[in-house]
Amino acid sequence: MEKNIKGCLYSYKEGQGELIEKKSRFIATVRPVETEEEAVTFINETKKKYWDARHNCSAFVIGKNQELTRCSDDGEPAGTAGRPMLDVLLKEGIHNTAVVVTRYFGGVLLGTGGLVRAYQGAVQKGLDAAVIVEKFEGQILLITTDYTGLGKIQYLLAQEKITIMDTSYADNVVIKAVIPEECRKDIENKIIEHTNAAALIEWKEKVTFAQHEKEVLIWENNL
C-alpha cells in the first residue's frame, strides 16, 4: 500500500481545552458538525451554557473542500477572534468542525495582537483535546482462504498497515478489511502473488473510513 496517501482530517469526538492569558479565561469547545444547522445549534447551546461569559466567539468549517465557513467575534474587536479561530481550522486542514471559544474577562486588556494569539491558542488547545481522525475513500474487501494461506494473508496485510476488521472461521477462513481506493489493484495483485492465486477476492461496497487507535470506523461514502 502507498504510505503517502493523504486523507481528510475530521473531528470525530468533542473536546474542550482551556487557556489563561493575563487573568482572562478562554475555554475552547470543539464539536463535529455535518451541516450549518448543526453548527448553529451547537453555538447557541454553548452560549446558553456559558451565559455569564463576556464573549462566546465561534468559527466552523463544513464540506469536503472546506467550502462553507462562518465565524463571529461576538463583541470582541473586529478580526481579533472569529477570523483567527477560523484560520486555525483552515490551516490545520480540519473539516466538518465547529469551535466556540468562551472568554471570561480577567480585567486586563490584551490588545489586538494579544487577543488574536489567545483565541488561536485556545482553538489549538480544543483541537488537541478532541479526537481528530483522517478519513479515506476505500472499499470493503473479503478474502476467502484455506488455513494454509491464512498466515500469509495476515502477514501481508500487517506489512501494508491494513487493519483486519473481522475474521470468520469455518471450512475456510474469510477475512474482512477495508482498502484505500488508490491501493485496490496493488493489494489484489499482492494477495494473488502471496497465495499463488488460491484465495478468493471479493470487492464489496465503497465506503469512507478512518482508523482510531485499533478500531476501523466506517461511514457512508460521502467524504
Side-chain angles (χ1 to χ4, degrees), residues 132-159:
I132 307 296
V133 297
E134 189 172 11
K135 290 187 180 182
F136 301 88
E137 294 184 41
Q139 193 164 357
I140 299 295
L141 174 62
L142 297 182
I143 310 165
T144 303
T145 180
D146 57 24
Y147 284 84
T148 302
L150 175 60
K152 296 177 182 178
I153 294 173
Q154 289 174 328
Y155 177 78
L156 168 64
L157 295 180
Q159 288 293 105

Side-chain angles (χ1 to χ4, degrees), residues 12 27 37 45 62 81 84 87 112 123 170 175 192 198 205 219:
Y12 174 57
I27 305 168
E37 290 74 20
E45 286 176 356
I62 294 172
D87 286 344
T112 300
V123 172
I175 297 171
I192 293 171
E205 66 272 20
W219 291 267

Side-chain angles (χ1 to χ4, degrees), residues 8 13 22 24 45 47 52 61 63 70 75-76 132 154 166 183 185 194 206 216-217:
C8 294
K13 290 184 179 179
K22 294 183 179 179
S24 279
E45 286 176 356
K47 286 184 174 182
D52 58 338
V61 56
R70 297 284 188 275
E76 290 282 28
I132 307 296
Q154 289 174 328
D166 188 37
C183 303
K185 196 61 181 178
H194 278 66
K206 292 186 176 182
V216 178
L217 310 170

Side-chain angles (χ1 to χ4, degrees), residues 99-200:
V99 57
V100 176
V101 175
T102 301
R103 182 190 182 189
Y104 285 93
F105 183 55
V108 179
L109 296 176
L110 301 183
T112 300
L115 284 173
V116 170
R117 288 189 294 273
Y119 277 102
Q120 290 191 325
V123 172
Q124 197 62 62
K125 293 274 189 183
L127 291 175
D128 290 344
V131 176
I132 307 296
V133 297
E134 189 172 11
K135 290 187 180 182
F136 301 88
E137 294 184 41
Q139 193 164 357
I140 299 295
L141 174 62
L142 297 182
I143 310 165
T144 303
T145 180
D146 57 24
Y147 284 84
T148 302
L150 175 60
K152 296 177 182 178
I153 294 173
Q154 289 174 328
Y155 177 78
L156 168 64
L157 295 180
Q159 288 293 105
E160 297 296 320
K161 301 188 184 305
I162 293 172
T163 300
I164 294 173
M165 297 170 60
D166 188 37
T167 306
S168 302
Y169 299 92
D171 293 338
N172 289 312
V173 183
V174 180
I175 297 171
K176 181 180 181 181
V178 60
I179 311 299
E181 189 66 29
E182 297 90 336
C183 303
R184 287 179 68 256
K185 196 61 181 178
D186 182 53
I187 292 297
E188 183 171 321
N189 289 338
K190 286 181 177 179
I191 292 171
I192 293 171
E193 177 184 345
H194 278 66
T195 64
N196 294 318
L200 174 64

Side-chain angles (χ1 to χ4, degrees), residues 29-40:
T29 307
V30 175
R31 181 180 292 182
V33 292
E34 297 292 329
T35 65
E36 184 173 6
E37 290 74 20
E38 284 186 22
V40 171

